[in-house]
Structure formats: C-alpha cells, structure tokens
C-alpha cells in the first residue's frame, strides 16, 4: 500500500533525498528533538572495552611521563613546561574522545517510513524515495546503515570501536581532533622518552628516576611502544580524515566507488562545513557547543543506545 504518485524502494544505498530536504513530519521532528535531549551511547561490548582501553593507555602514559620522567627531574622549568603541555594534550585528547563517543553521529529517526509520513512528504509524481529495510527509515542522501549502531547514519565514514561510535556528519570534527591530539601527545611522549634514556645512561641510572632501573626501563620501553603504535595509527587516521573532508567523500563512498550525486564542497569549504565557520582557534576546541544534560534513564525498545 504505497501512496499514489511516487514509489518507495527498499534498498540500502543511492537515496534521492538530500540532508537539506524537509522530509520530517511532526512525529519525526519530535523524535529528533528527543534525541537532542539524550546522551548518545552505544551498548556494544567490543566498543566499550576498546574505549576503556584507550583511556587506560592515555592514563598510563600520563603516569610514566609525570612520575617517572618529570617529577624526579632536577630541572624545575623543564618539568613544569613539559608537564603542563603533556597534560593539556591528554585532557584535550580524552575530551575529544568523549565528545566523539557521546555525540549522535547523525542518526536518522527510526520507523519514519510509514504511510502517514509518506503522505505528509508531499512528494512530486514519480519521485522515488528509499527506505532502509533494517531500521524502517527514509534514507537521506549519503546515509548508510551501521550494523553495530543499528541505525542509518548521515554521511557515515566508518564505525570506530576505539570511540565506540560511528564517525558521521555530527561528530566527525571531534574524531579528527581526537586523532590529532593523540598523535601530538604520542610525539611528545616519544621525545621525552628519548631525553630520559639519554639522561639515565649519562647518570648511570642512579638518580634519573624514583623507581629502580629495571622498572624504569620496562616502563619507558612500554611507553615507547605505545607511543609508536598510537602515533602511527592516529597520524594515518588524521590524514585520511582531512583528505576525505577536503574531497567531500566519506570512506564508505570511496571504498564503494560511489559516483557523487551531490555538489561537492572541496578543500576549505569542506573544512568549514565540518568544523563550523571560518578558520579560527575554535576549530581546535573540543568543548565548543558542549552543554550539560541531566541523565534520565528510560526504557526503550530495540535501540543499542542508552536513552538518557
């Protein structure tokens, strides 16, 4: 039973509705308003474990930098400057991680592909719209269904278990900041490790740390390995994200070799659309637009996210 004058297709890709089209009815508008008042959180076991591991590794790096390398140092200003710098990078990285994990990536409201909604769209005769058969929603252009989030996500780039969320239209900025700050903090930690090894070798490992030499070596080697792995991974992800933004092409669209049916925003226009406004220091701030929300636990059927 489809409304006359248009067709509804149950397919997974190449929708005709754009993100700017006003396809929301009263029910979907209230649904999006309800989503805006909730904290988004995906209840995925693997993703939650990876997110906790990310935090623990950053805390470990901060512990080694602060208590193994900087506090035992005899150079007061060396310890203060590097301690403040590293901890600021760590706070910005973890804040960006939280914003990425707890921000709705651009989920399309569930179940809005109903007959009543279809009639409210006032479609032109012969116009084709696309419905996701998995979450029963009308798919906007460039939206893809995530099997882990169990939702269609606007401009979905990929699902990242390390942030326990999809990277999409609304949280890509925070993901880029997360990868950037982790890469910078990893470089800083590697430099400090190198300087610490030189200092310890010159001092015969006697007064370079409050820990015993074997423990100090183990802690520094593990931090070096962590820094190398984190820097390699996040630097590559940061580069691919910037490339995707400047070319206005998500990773899924690139892998599927989808021909663009939208007007591309290239280079600075793409950066402005993701980070908001003209270039400024606010682009580097993960706290922009943040507001505290009161947590309210509710029961909700069929959703992987907490309704709070």
């Amino acid at each position: 039973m489809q409304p006359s004058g248009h067709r509804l297709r149950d397919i997974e890709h190449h929708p005709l509705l754009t993100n700017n089209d006003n396809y929301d009815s009263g029910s979907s508008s209230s649904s999006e308003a309800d989503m805006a008042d909730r904290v988004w959180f995906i209840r995925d076991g693997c993703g939650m474990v990876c997110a906790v591991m990310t935090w623990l590794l950053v805390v470990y790096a901060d512990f080694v930098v602060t208590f193994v390398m900087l506090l035992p140092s005899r150079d007061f200003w060396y310890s203060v400057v590097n301690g403040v710098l590293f901890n600021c990078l760590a706070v910005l990285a973890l804040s960006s991680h939280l914003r990425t994990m707890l921000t709705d990536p651009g989920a399309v409201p569930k179940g809005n592909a109903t007959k009543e909604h279809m009639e409210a769209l006032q479609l032109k005769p012969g116009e084709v719209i696309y419905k996701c058969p998995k979450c029963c929603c009308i798919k906007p252009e460039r939206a893809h269904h995530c099997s882990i989030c169990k939702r269609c996500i606007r401009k979905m780039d990929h699902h990242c278990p390390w942030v326990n969320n999809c990277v999409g239209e609304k949280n890509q900025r925070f993901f880029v900041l997360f990868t950037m700050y982790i890469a910078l903090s990893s470089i800083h930690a590697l430099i400090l490790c190198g300087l610490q090894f030189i200092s310890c070798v010159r001092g015969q490992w006697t007064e370079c740390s409050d820990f015993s030499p074997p423990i100090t070596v183990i802690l520094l080697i593990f931090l070096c390995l962590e820094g190398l792995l984190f820097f390699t991974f996040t630097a590559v992800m940061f580069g691919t994200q910037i490339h995707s933004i400047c070319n206005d092409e998500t990773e899924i669209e690139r892998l599927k070799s989808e021909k663009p049916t939208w007007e591309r925003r290239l280079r600075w226009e793409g950066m402005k659309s993701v980070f908001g406004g003209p270039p400024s220091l606010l682009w580097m701030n993960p706290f922009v637009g943040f507001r505290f929300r009161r947590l309210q636990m509710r029961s909700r059927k069929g959703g992987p996210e907490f309704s709070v």
Side-chain angles (χ1 to χ4, degrees), residues 108-112 132-137 139 145 150-152:
V108 181
K110 284 183 178 179
N112 63 355
C132 174
K134 296 179 180 179
C135 58
C136 195
C137 73
K139 296 184 68 173
H145 186 87
K150 299 181 181 178
R151 300 288 291 272
C152 284

Side-chain angles (χ1 to χ4, degrees), residues 136-186:
C136 195
C137 73
I138 296 176
K139 296 184 68 173
E141 187 177 30
R142 306 183 70 182
H144 294 84
H145 186 87
C146 175
S147 59
I148 299 177
C149 295
K150 299 181 181 178
R151 300 288 291 272
C152 284
I153 308 297
R154 293 185 178 94
K155 286 186 67 176
M156 176 180 169
D157 187 85
H158 68 286
H159 185 95
C160 179
W162 296 104
V163 297
N164 190 33
N165 201 1
C166 276
V167 177
E169 182 179 64
K170 295 183 180 180
N171 68 344
Q172 186 176 25
R173 167 191 178 179
F174 303 121
F175 182 75
V176 173
L177 292 179
F178 167 66
T179 57
M180 181 185 72
Y181 286 126
I182 288 293
L184 291 176
S185 59
S186 298

Side-chain angles (χ1 to χ4, degrees), residues 3 40 46 64 83 87 92 101 115-116 120 174 188 197 207 231 267 279 301:
W40 176 274
C46 177
V64 176
N87 280 277
L92 290 171
M101 182 171 61
K115 179 180 179 181
E116 294 77 12
F174 303 121
H188 191 198
F197 271 118
E207 297 181 357
F231 172 73
R267 298 181 177 85
K301 295 181 179 179

Side-chain angles (χ1 to χ4, degrees), residues 3 17 38 46 53-54 61 75 78 101 106 116 124 158 210-211 223 244-245 248 256 265 281 288 303:
L17 290 179
R38 294 188 285 110
C46 177
M53 285 180 59
T54 301
D75 191 334
Y78 172 83
M101 182 171 61
E116 294 77 12
K124 298 177 182 179
H158 68 286
D210 293 335
F211 296 85
L223 180 59
S244 296
I245 293 172
D248 196 13
K256 290 185 175 181
R265 299 175 179 177
L281 291 177
V288 171

Side-chain angles (χ1 to χ4, degrees), residues 3-269:
S4 60
H6 72 275
R7 292 170 288 163
L8 176 66
R9 293 184 176 177
D10 294 341
I11 67 172
E12 285 299 307
H13 52 276
H14 301 305
L16 297 182
L17 290 179
T18 65
N19 294 336
N20 297 324
D21 287 338
N22 185 18
Y23 64 88
D24 288 335
S25 65
S27 60
S28 62
S29 297
S30 61
S31 176
E32 291 202 356
D34 179 67
M35 288 173 63
D37 291 334
R38 294 188 285 110
V39 175
W40 176 274
F41 185 78
I42 302 300
R43 290 179 290 183
D44 174 59
C46 177
M48 289 188 286
V49 170
C50 289
V52 171
M53 285 180 59
T54 301
W55 274 68
L56 291 178
L57 289 171
V58 173
V59 170
Y60 168 80
D62 188 72
F63 169 80
V64 176
V65 169
T66 303
F67 294 97
V68 177
M69 292 189 280
L70 297 181
L71 288 182
S73 175
R74 295 181 178 180
D75 191 334
F76 174 77
W77 289 111
Y78 172 83
S79 299
V80 170
V81 172
N82 283 285
V84 170
L85 178 59
F86 187 84
N87 280 277
C88 285
L89 290 174
V91 168
L92 290 171
L94 294 180
S95 300
S96 301
H97 183 273
L98 273 180
R99 292 300 303 274
T100 307
M101 182 171 61
L102 301 179
T103 298
D104 175 5
V108 181
K110 284 183 178 179
N112 63 355
T114 62
K115 179 180 179 181
E116 294 77 12
H117 191 188
M118 235 62 89
E119 293 174 346
L121 293 177
Q122 298 180 350
L123 299 170
K124 298 177 182 179
E127 185 174 357
V128 180
I129 59 176
Y130 297 117
K131 183 186 85 170
C132 174
K134 296 179 180 179
C135 58
C136 195
C137 73
I138 296 176
K139 296 184 68 173
E141 187 177 30
R142 306 183 70 182
H144 294 84
H145 186 87
C146 175
S147 59
I148 299 177
C149 295
K150 299 181 181 178
R151 300 288 291 272
C152 284
I153 308 297
R154 293 185 178 94
K155 286 186 67 176
M156 176 180 169
D157 187 85
H158 68 286
H159 185 95
C160 179
W162 296 104
V163 297
N164 190 33
N165 201 1
C166 276
V167 177
E169 182 179 64
K170 295 183 180 180
N171 68 344
Q172 186 176 25
R173 167 191 178 179
F174 303 121
F175 182 75
V176 173
L177 292 179
F178 167 66
T179 57
M180 181 185 72
Y181 286 126
I182 288 293
L184 291 176
S185 59
S186 298
I187 292 176
H188 191 198
L190 289 172
I191 293 174
L192 292 177
C193 280
L195 295 175
Q196 186 70 13
F197 271 118
I198 294 174
S199 175
C200 289
V201 170
R202 287 179 177 177
Q204 300 296 319
W205 298 90
T206 56
E207 297 181 357
C208 68
S209 174
D210 293 335
F211 296 85
S212 64
I215 297 298
T216 301
V217 171
I218 293 174
L219 293 175
L220 291 178
I221 290 178
F222 190 81
L223 180 59
C224 286
L225 293 175
E226 177 189 342
L228 286 172
L229 290 174
F230 265 42
F231 172 73
T232 302
F233 174 74
T234 55
V236 170
M237 288 302 301
F238 177 78
T240 56
Q241 287 295 301
I242 295 297
H243 180 269
S244 296
I245 293 172
C246 290
N247 288 279
D248 196 13
E249 182 182 45
T250 66
E251 187 66 16
I252 291 180
E253 292 164 350
R254 186 186 68 82
L255 293 175
K256 290 185 175 181
S257 300
E258 295 183 1
K259 295 182 179 179
T261 58
W262 61 92
E263 184 179 353
R264 281 188 167 182
R265 299 175 179 177
L266 301 180
R267 298 181 177 85
W268 282 112
E269 291 302 319

